[in-house]
Amino acid sequence: MSQTEPLYRASTFKQEISEVAWTQALASLPNAHALQSWGWGDFKSRWGWSAQRLTLTIAQSSWEPLAAAQVLKRRVPRLPYSILYVPKGPALNYNDRALREQVLKELEKLARREKAILIKIDPEVARYWGVEQDRKSPVGAKFTQELQQRGWLYSAEQIQFPNSVVLDLTRSEEDLLASMKSKTRYNIRLAGRKGITVRQGTADDLPKIAAMYEETAERDNFALRPMAYYLDAWQSFYDAGMAMPLLAEYEGDAIAAVLLIRFGDRVTYMYGASTHRERKRMPNYLLQWEAIRWAKEQGCTIYDFWGAPTEFVEEDPLWGVWRFKDGFHGDVVWHIGAWDYPAKPVWYNVYGRLLPRYVEFLRSRQKTSEE
């Protein structure tokens, strides 16, 4: 037993009501993510969730956080129960086994106290790196085993992408370009020769990006929430100083865009959109390169492409997106994914059977209303 374990046993979650203190807590912890930010919690509170921000400290020290978890809560209609979700969290040093154990204990206690059917986590913890899973994360493997031993289940509902592609920004621009696939490097330069320009956007550009995002969804056949949802999310990030819109233009006409989210030392390419116009001019390649350059200018060390196939086969829905991202020669990260603690096992099984049917019903109703 380590000397720190008794201290952790005396640690409990406390609710943080100060935005400044919460932001400072996240800044002091590893593995913190933009979806744990105060602004994201406020945004989700306008869309059916409530947010509580919890920090774990040693009992004798109220100022030094060991862990932080922004917990989103949603009531289950017509039942006295709720669903809890810690998006891309909790944030803590996952190398510390005793701390991992204490945080899980506290989350399980929270789920029971809140009468939750389940609490879901999907932390930034890697299990493997590389397309072939050729590099294994000892911490990810151990934590996965600990979750299973405590009765947590790998979730059938993966809210965020379990896999991603990240680019090391500590290298020079020359090195980054040299490591790219030759076709990607060629297309970046082709876009510049063909008259594509990239500019930084403002909040006034967000509706324009939303229109392009709708067109992208229709072309690539992926489901969308109401546009008001995205505009609210983007504005929330922008108002918090975390968002940078970049737009690719041809002769003054915006034809593609990305929305970058900066948090800590990471910039995430969280949203991308394009029109059908001037696609042969390769605007997305130059746009992505300028996004990477902007991230470097901010002093960030990681560029996260936000999403990769679940399985690296051509049948995967993200295969086409992966081929584009792969050209920039990032590193594939296989995260441990989302895990559920079924605080009410019977209801958890019912929920797991009925939710997919309910989601399909909502989608079919939406499709009918659009026809």
Side-chain angles (χ1 to χ4, degrees):
M1 180 183 295
S2 70
Q3 294 179 346
T4 56
E5 282 190 62
L7 291 176
Y8 289 162
R9 288 202 187 111
S11 304
T12 58
F13 276 135
K14 69 170 186 176
Q15 188 155 347
E16 186 57 69
I17 60 174
S18 164
E19 180 177 357
V20 172
W22 177 255
T23 303
Q24 290 174 342
L26 288 181
S28 70
L29 292 168
N31 302 297
H33 194 274
L35 299 190
Q36 286 285 290
S37 66
W38 188 279
W40 184 256
D42 277 358
F43 155 68
K44 294 299 286 186
S45 296
R46 296 191 291 273
W47 291 86
W49 298 83
S50 61
Q52 54 180 315
R53 291 91 177 181
L54 305 173
T55 54
L56 190 78
T57 57
I58 296 175
Q60 295 87 349
S61 172
S62 61
W63 59 271
E64 185 178 2
L66 299 167
Q70 175 165 254
V71 184
L72 303 180
K73 176 181 177 179
R74 190 165 203 157
R75 289 290 181 185
V76 178
R78 300 181 181 181
L79 289 175
Y81 305 131
S82 62
I83 303 297
L84 303 181
Y85 175 39
V86 188
K88 282 297 179 181
L92 63 133
N93 178 9
Y94 282 91
N95 292 309
D96 189 326
R97 186 200 62 78
L99 181 57
R100 296 195 303 262
E101 181 182 6
Q102 185 62 24
V103 170
L104 290 179
K105 283 182 180 179
E106 289 297 306
L107 291 175
E108 292 159 12
K109 284 167 54 178
L110 176 68
R112 292 190 290 268
R113 188 167 64 245
E114 294 287 345
K115 297 181 179 179
I117 293 175
L118 66 95
I119 183 167
K120 183 190 299 289
I121 63 173
D122 51 13
E124 285 285 281
V125 177
R127 183 72 188 272
Y128 305 100
W129 291 279
V131 174
E132 302 297 331
Q133 300 183 350
D134 51 344
R135 285 163 289 155
K136 186 176 182 179
S137 164
V139 173
K142 289 177 182 177
F143 187 47
T144 298
Q145 185 178 43
E146 292 160 7
L147 287 164
Q148 292 170 331
Q149 290 171 346
R150 297 188 64 87
W152 291 68
L153 304 173
Y154 186 75
S155 178
E157 186 185 15
Q158 297 286 312
I159 307 298
Q160 313 301 333
F161 296 113
N163 302 330
S164 192
V165 182
V166 297
L167 192 64
D168 176 12
L169 297 181
T170 62
R171 295 177 293 162
S172 68
E173 289 188 12
E174 292 75 15
D175 285 345
L176 289 170
L177 280 168
S179 68
M180 293 177 190
K181 290 189 174 180
S182 59
K183 187 65 173 179
T184 297
R185 197 164 50 243
Y186 174 82
N187 285 339
I188 290 171
R189 292 166 177 159
L190 175 67
R193 294 197 303 269
K194 294 292 186 178
I196 300 297
T197 59
V198 176
R199 67 171 176 87
Q200 295 182 8
T202 68
D204 292 339
D205 291 302
L206 297 181
K208 188 182 301 182
I209 297 173
M212 284 192 276
Y213 198 57
E214 268 192 307
E215 181 175 335
T216 304
E218 183 176 352
R219 182 181 65 243
D220 295 344
N221 194 31
F222 62 83
L224 278 184
R225 297 174 184 263
M227 275 300 110
Y229 176 92
Y230 298 103
L231 287 170
D232 191 3
W234 300 347
Q235 189 70 54
S236 297
F237 278 133
Y238 191 86
D239 291 344
M242 295 167 58
M244 171 53 70
L246 294 181
L247 292 90
E249 297 180 333
Y250 178 68
E251 295 183 346
D253 181 26
I255 56 177
V258 296
L259 190 76
L260 307 175
I261 307 300
R262 180 189 174 187
F263 194 74
D265 63 354
R266 178 185 300 254
V267 166
T268 303
Y269 158 48
M270 199 167 284
Y271 299 96
S274 62
T275 70
H276 66 281
R277 301 188 301 277
E278 308 297 342
R279 292 171 65 85
K280 291 184 178 181
R281 298 180 189 274
M282 304 298 169
N284 291 318
Y285 286 88
L286 182 60
L287 184 59
Q288 199 65 228
W289 172 236
E290 291 301 326
I292 292 167
R293 293 184 67 233
W294 180 83
K296 277 185 63 66
E297 289 170 3
Q298 306 311 300
C300 293
T301 59
I302 300 171
Y303 186 83
D304 189 342
F305 283 90
W306 192 246
T310 303
E311 298 293 337
F312 286 81
V313 294
E314 292 188 17
E315 293 76 20
D316 192 282
L318 289 179
W319 182 255
V321 174
W322 154 246
R323 290 183 62 189
F324 170 75
K325 295 177 180 179
D326 184 40
F328 292 88
H329 198 64
D331 199 13
V332 173
V333 183
W334 302 70
H335 294 110
I336 66 169
W339 288 76
D340 296 339
Y341 177 71
K344 296 187 178 299
V346 173
W347 280 106
Y348 180 78
N349 290 331
V350 172
Y351 176 82
R353 290 197 304 270
L354 295 182
L355 180 64
R357 299 177 188 177
Y358 179 63
V359 171
E360 186 59 35
F361 165 72
L362 292 178
R363 288 174 176 169
S364 63
R365 189 171 66 175
Q366 180 182 5
K367 183 178 180 181
T368 301
S369 66
E370 293 172 350
E371 291 176 347

